[in-house]
C-alpha cells in the first residue's frame, strides 16, 4: 500500500510540473498576432462621417419623399436625410426665423417667393434673401381634388354639386387654413362658385386644418362630408376623388424647390435635388399622382 501511495504522489507531482511548464510557454506567432476582443469589434472605418441634409418639405410630399429619401440614402450611405414635413407657410416661417435647413420644397410659389430676393417686391415685401442664387426651379405639379369619405354619404358628384349643397346648407366641407397653399387654392374655388367664405363660416359649413394632412384625416374619419385636398394625398389615404379643379378654378398647383442660402452643404443638397428630378425620382412621384415638371 505504501508503494502504491508513493507512486500516486509522484504521478501527481509530475502532472503539476507539466501544467506549470505549459503555462509558462512563450506565445507562438499566431497567438501574438491574435487581436483582443476590443479590436475585433471596432468598425472597419470610423474616419468617414455622414453629411446631414435637412429638408423642409410640404406635408403633401411626406409619403413619396420619405420613400425616395430611403432609396437615396441606401445608394449614398455618406448622406443622412432629415425631413421636416408641415404646411409650406409654417416651413417658410421657420426658415425665416433661422431654423437649420438645407433644402426647401414648397407646395406653392407664394411661400418660396417670400424668401427670394428675385421675386417681385409685392411677393417679398420684407426683401428677404434666403434662397441660394440659381438653385430655384419648379419640380412638381399636383391637382386640387374634391375627396369624400367612404361610401360618399351625401352623394357629392362634383365641385359644382358641392357648391350647390353648400349654398343649401346640406354639407360640411373641410379645407386648409388661409396660410396653407391648399387652403388658398380652396378659397379660389369658393370664389369661382361665388360662395362667401364668411357666410359659410357663419352657417357652420366649414372646418379647417393647419395642413393638408389634417384635412385629409377629417375626410378619412368621416367627420366631414367632403374635403378639398391634393390628389396625391387622396391617393395615399385611399380616398375617393369625385372631381379635380381646373386651372381656371384655382390656377396651377406648382411645387418649387430651392437650396437655402445658409445651407452648410449646398452641393450635397443640389445633388439630392438632381436625384429627385432624375428617372427614379420622377417614377416615385408619378406613382402617387404627381406630375414632374420638365
Amino acid at each position: 500500500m505504501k508503494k502504491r501511495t508513493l507512486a500516486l504522489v509522484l504521478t501527481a507531482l509530475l502532472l503539476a510540473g507539466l501544467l506549470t511548464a505549459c503555462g509558462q510557454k512563450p506565445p507562438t506567432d499566431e497567438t501574438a498576432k491574435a487581436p483582443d476582443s476590443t479590436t475585433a469589434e471596432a468598425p472597419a472605418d470610423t474616419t468617414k462621417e455622414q453629411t446631414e441634409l435637412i429638408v423642409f418639405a410640404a406635408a403633401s410630399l411626406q409619403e413619396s419623399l420619405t420613400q425616395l429619401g430611403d432609396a437615396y440614402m441606401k445608394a449614398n450611405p455618406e448622406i443622412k436625410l432629415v425631413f421636416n414635413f408641415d404646411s409650406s407657410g409654417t416651413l417658410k416661417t421657420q426658415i425665416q426665423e433661422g431654423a437649420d435647413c438645407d433644402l426647401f420644397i414648397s407646395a406653392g410659389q407664394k411661400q418660396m417667393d417670400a424668401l427670394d430676393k428675385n421675386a417681385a417686391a409685392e411677393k417679398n415685401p420684407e426683401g428677404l434673401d434666403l434662397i441660394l442664387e440659381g438653385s430655384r426651379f419648379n419640380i412638381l405639379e399636383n391637382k386640387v381634388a374634391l375627396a369624400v369619405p367612404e361610401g360618399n354619404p351625401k352623394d357629392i358628384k362634383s365641385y359644382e354639386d358641392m357648391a350647390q349643397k353648400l349654398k343649401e346648407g346640406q354639407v360640411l366641407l373641410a379645407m386648409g387654413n388661409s396660410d396653407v397653399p391648399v387652403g388658398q387654392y380652396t378659397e379660389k374655388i369658393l370664389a369661382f362658385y361665388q360662395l362667401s367664405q364668411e357666410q359659410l363660416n357663419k352657417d357652420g359649413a366649414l372646418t379647417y386644418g393647419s395642413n393638408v394632412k389634417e384635412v385629409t384625416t377629417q375626410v378619412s374619419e368621416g367627420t366631414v362630408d367632403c374635403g378639398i385636398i391634393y390628389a396625391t394625398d387622396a391617393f395615399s389615404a385611399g380616398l375617393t376623388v369625385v372631381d379635380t379643379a381646373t386651372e381656371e378654378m384655382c390656377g396651377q398647383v406648382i411645387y418649387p424647390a430651392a437650396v437655402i442660402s445658409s445651407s452648410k452643404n449646398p452641393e450635397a443638397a443640389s445633388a439630392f435635388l438632381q436625384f429627385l428630378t432624375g428617372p427614379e425620382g420622377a417614377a416615385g412621384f408619378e406613382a402617387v399622382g404627381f406630375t414632374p415638371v420638365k
Side-chain angles (χ1 to χ4, degrees):
M1 291 295 292
K2 289 183 180 180
K3 290 182 179 181
R4 184 177 178 185
T5 300
L6 179 61
L8 289 173
V9 170
L10 290 173
T11 300
L13 289 172
L14 178 62
L15 288 173
L18 288 172
L19 289 173
T20 301
C22 289
Q24 295 173 344
K25 192 175 182 179
T28 64
D29 289 343
E30 290 185 358
T31 56
K33 293 178 182 177
D36 60 24
S37 59
T38 303
T39 304
E41 292 175 0
D45 182 8
T46 59
T47 61
K48 194 171 184 179
E49 294 184 359
Q50 284 185 308
T51 296
E52 184 175 272
L53 284 182
I54 303 174
V55 181
F56 281 30
S60 51
L61 288 162
Q62 184 167 347
E63 291 82 8
S64 55
L65 202 53
T66 298
Q67 186 173 6
L68 287 169
D70 288 342
Y72 188 76
M73 287 188 287
K74 185 175 181 180
N76 301 273
E78 74 280 7
I79 298 296
K80 179 182 179 181
L81 294 169
V82 178
F83 292 107
N84 177 21
F85 295 105
D86 211 321
S87 74
S88 299
T90 297
L91 297 175
K92 171 260 176 188
T93 299
Q94 291 174 352
I95 293 170
Q96 184 177 347
E97 292 177 347
D100 287 337
C101 175
D102 295 296
L103 178 64
F104 180 33
I105 308 177
S106 171
Q109 301 285 7
K110 179 179 179 180
Q111 291 73 24
M112 190 70 76
D113 285 340
L115 304 175
D116 190 351
K117 71 172 184 178
N118 293 318
E122 63 271 17
K123 296 181 178 180
N124 183 4
E126 298 179 68
L128 298 176
D129 183 11
L130 301 178
I131 301 301
L132 185 67
E133 188 73 28
S135 70
R136 176 179 174 176
F137 62 92
N138 296 329
I139 182 171
L140 299 168
E141 181 178 1
N142 209 339
K143 297 294 183 184
V144 179
L146 178 61
V148 294
E150 184 177 358
N152 192 6
K154 292 298 178 72
D155 193 29
I156 299 169
K157 299 179 176 64
S158 63
Y159 274 113
E160 186 174 357
D161 187 33
M162 174 207 73
Q164 184 60 38
K165 288 178 177 177
L166 280 171
K167 290 177 182 178
E168 296 170 355
Q170 295 181 22
V171 296
L172 177 62
L173 169 69
M175 62 179 283
N177 292 337
S178 60
D179 64 337
V180 179
V182 75
Q184 294 159 5
Y185 293 124
T186 303
E187 290 176 343
K188 292 179 180 180
I189 292 170
L190 294 178
F192 179 82
Y193 287 105
Q194 299 181 337
L195 292 167
S196 167
Q197 189 175 347
E198 183 180 358
Q199 185 59 51
L200 290 173
N201 280 322
K202 289 180 180 179
D203 296 340
L206 301 176
T207 67
Y208 293 87
S210 62
N211 58 51
V212 70
K213 294 300 182 188
E214 289 188 5
V215 181
T216 302
T217 298
Q218 291 182 53
V219 181
S220 297
E221 294 179 350
T223 57
V224 294
D225 301 310
C226 56
I228 297 179
I229 58 178
Y230 295 121
T232 52
D233 289 285
F235 176 88
S236 297
L239 293 172
T240 299
V241 172
V242 297
D243 203 358
T244 53
T246 64
E247 187 174 345
E248 180 186 10
M249 291 166 63
C250 66
Q252 280 186 290
V253 184
I254 301 295
Y255 287 53
V259 177
I260 299 303
S261 58
S262 60
S263 170
K264 298 175 183 177
N265 302 289
E267 292 183 2
S270 295
F272 180 53
L273 262 183
Q274 289 177 1
F275 165 78
L276 294 178
T277 57
E280 186 172 355
F285 288 127
E286 287 174 339
V288 297
F290 282 108
T291 302
V293 176
K294 304 299 183 183

